[in-house]
Amino acid sequence: MADATVALDYRALIDGLGQGVLLFDTSGRLLLDNLAARAILGPNLVLVRSEGWPAMALLLDGPRTVGPSADELREQALRSAAPIRFNT
């Protein structure tokens, strides 16, 4: 039996997730978002798409009173070989 190659529609895959997913490059530009992130952020996504990570960090840090800042979490993620997950 020959190996079957399956074309994976990554957009459909991440849009099917219940959690908001945002993917930024190392310069802070938003590369990818999913359906849940679009629903959560609403009109703020326009700002995040145009301004990138700095705008997202402001949105994340606004309601937070304890714990590391969004920029601190991002720096930790950039230094780590494994994914860093955090909840907001």
Side-chain angles (χ1 to χ4, degrees):
M1 184 169 166
D3 289 330
T5 302
V6 177
L8 179 64
D9 182 354
Y10 73 89
R11 172 58 75 181
L13 179 70
I14 68 159
D15 275 344
L17 297 174
Q19 298 83 15
V21 175
L22 299 170
L23 179 65
F24 294 89
D25 66 12
T26 56
S27 68
R29 185 175 55 112
L30 181 64
L31 299 175
L32 184 71
D33 56 76
N34 73 344
L35 186 61
R38 293 189 290 275
I40 292 166
L41 291 171
N44 287 323
L45 187 56
V46 173
L47 177 64
V48 174
R49 284 180 175 155
S50 69
E51 300 299 320
W53 176 255
M56 191 67 231
L58 285 174
L59 290 171
L60 291 171
D61 288 340
R64 292 166 49 98
T65 57
V66 296
S69 71
D71 282 329
E72 290 169 329
L73 291 167
R74 181 174 186 262
E75 286 302 317
Q76 180 184 0
L78 290 172
R79 288 190 310 267
S80 176
I84 302 294
R85 294 175 177 257
F86 62 96
N87 296 314
T88 59

